[in-house]
Amino acid sequence: MKQLYIFLALLVCAFSSSAQTDSLQLQIQEIENSLSYQYGEIALGDGLAKITVPEGFKYLDAEQSEYVLTELWGNPASGTTMGMLVPQDKGVLDDDVWVFDIEFDEIGYVEDKDAGDIDYTELLASMQEDMLAVSRERMANGYEEIQLIGWASDPYYDQESKILHWAKELKFGESETNTLNYNVRILGRRGVLMLNAIANMESLPAVKQNIPLIISSVAFEQGHSYFDFNPDIDEVASWTIGGLVAGKVLTKVGFFALILKFWKVIAVAVVGLGGALWKRLRGRKEEDVPVAEEEQEKVVS
């Protein structure tokens, strides 16, 4: 009889855990269904640029993207996103989701005279030293360590199209999964369009494979392109190509964390979850803490 009671108790626990899992999945699906994705040609920044949503992707506007970044993924509010591209077959709360966040940084016209002279191996070593220094300061303030492991994709500058892209591999604390920081910069007359991949390292092949498609989908409108620069009236940026890559190593833009995305859902729907699901979600708690608030520059490394 005692064994029967134990069996029944275990059965009840299993049923309860299954019901809670179903409840969580229902909440996630309801959130996904509440989002309004767009397709086709979309204006960005009041005539600044346009995006033609590429095949295999869907576009989420600025307001909804800010909601995803802050309310669902737990990042600090920035108010700078112009929207994001999401793979067509993924939802923003899927475990393996990755997106391209779109922003514009009005830093001026970036001269590219140094583009062919940059030693990116030397630049990486310098960036790693900077990262160590900042990481020590973060740890002293109670934040987890951050390591710049290396290039996930070597920096490349397309002189003809004036497009720069590169990727870094980062390790946050004791996380078993490293973070991918993939950056695309499309140079313009008064600044740069920034397309930042928000992803984990496992998504690198998919992200890298789609770089040409993503780049070809975004363009400045007439009068705003790099080739429309007027030296008599336009401001030249203090940044160079090398400076865009080096940037300020821990600026928060481009370091949005994917790992925190479930916390708002948990708080609303399933506080007190137990069992394997809770352990899986709890395992995310500190793997990718958003970058410290003291780093607020728009141009990112």
Side-chain angles (χ1 to χ4, degrees):
M1 184 64 69
K2 181 178 181 181
Q3 290 179 338
L4 177 60
Y5 289 150
I6 292 174
F7 172 77
L8 290 174
L10 291 173
L11 188 63
V12 170
C13 289
F15 178 81
S16 176
S17 177
S18 175
Q20 290 169 335
T21 300
D22 291 343
S23 177
L24 176 59
Q25 292 303 318
L26 181 60
Q27 291 285 330
I28 290 173
Q29 190 58 52
E30 287 178 352
I31 290 172
E32 182 64 30
N33 292 342
S34 72
L35 300 175
S36 298
Y37 293 100
Q38 299 178 44
Y39 301 88
E41 187 174 293
I42 297 163
L44 299 173
D46 193 23
L48 172 73
K50 64 181 177 182
I51 180 170
T52 302
V53 181
E55 184 177 354
F57 286 85
K58 50 193 177 184
Y59 170 82
L60 202 59
D61 66 21
E63 182 178 357
Q64 294 179 99
S65 295
E66 184 74 9
Y67 164 72
V68 170
L69 292 169
T70 58
E71 297 300 318
L72 298 185
W73 292 358
N75 292 283
S78 68
T80 57
T81 183
M82 301 171 76
M84 63 170 61
L85 287 171
V86 184
Q88 178 66 42
D89 61 349
K90 298 187 185 300
V92 295
L93 290 175
D94 288 352
D95 284 339
D96 60 346
V97 67
W98 55 272
V99 304
F100 272 95
D101 180 55
I102 307 168
E103 302 187 14
F104 177 69
D105 195 356
E106 194 171 355
I107 58 174
Y109 175 85
V110 179
E111 294 185 324
D112 60 356
K113 298 175 183 177
D114 71 327
D117 302 325
I118 303 170
D119 184 334
Y120 287 113
T121 300
E122 182 179 330
L123 181 60
L124 175 62
S126 176
M127 292 166 62
Q128 287 173 324
E129 289 181 8
D130 291 342
M131 184 71 82
L132 285 173
V134 176
S135 187
R136 284 194 293 268
E137 182 178 349
R138 282 172 50 86
M139 292 174 68
N141 290 323
Y143 293 94
E144 64 183 353
E145 177 186 19
I146 300 180
Q147 301 176 53
L148 173 54
I149 305 300
W151 299 124
S153 183
D154 292 338
Y156 173 75
Y157 180 61
D158 187 329
Q159 184 79 39
E160 183 176 347
S161 61
K162 308 301 180 184
I163 297 176
L164 169 70
H165 55 91
W166 73 99
K168 299 190 300 292
E169 180 179 357
L170 299 146
K171 181 176 178 62
F172 285 72
E174 299 299 322
S175 172
E176 296 179 0
T177 303
N178 289 349
T179 295
L180 173 66
N181 184 224
Y182 207 120
N183 303 271
V184 176
R185 300 291 180 268
I186 303 175
L187 276 58
R189 177 180 178 178
R190 298 185 178 90
V192 294
L193 273 171
M194 308 191 303
L195 289 81
N196 297 316
I198 306 172
N200 291 321
M201 281 302 298
E202 290 88 346
S203 300
L204 175 60
V207 172
K208 196 169 184 177
Q209 179 182 352
N210 282 282
I211 289 295
L213 188 63
I214 296 297
I215 288 174
S216 65
S217 71
V218 183
F220 283 104
E221 293 283 15
Q222 185 174 358
H224 296 282
S225 78
Y226 194 82
F227 306 101
D228 294 316
F229 174 70
N230 185 337
D232 295 329
I233 60 174
D234 293 332
E235 180 182 351
V236 175
S238 59
W239 297 86
T240 61
I241 297 300
L244 289 178
V245 176
K248 195 171 182 182
V249 294
L250 281 182
T251 50
K252 73 184 178 70
V253 180
F255 280 92
F256 290 118
L258 284 169
I259 302 302
L260 299 180
K261 61 193 176 189
F262 281 105
W263 286 107
K264 293 295 182 179
V265 178
I266 293 172
V268 171
V270 287
V271 172
L273 265 180
L277 178 64
W278 178 246
K279 290 180 181 178
R280 177 171 69 86
L281 296 173
R282 283 289 296 173
R284 302 169 177 271
K285 63 182 185 305
E286 292 181 351
E287 288 182 0
D288 276 306
V289 176
V291 174
E293 286 288 337
E294 64 266 21
E295 300 291 337
Q296 296 291 326
E297 308 294 338
K298 284 187 176 180
V299 179
V300 301
S301 58

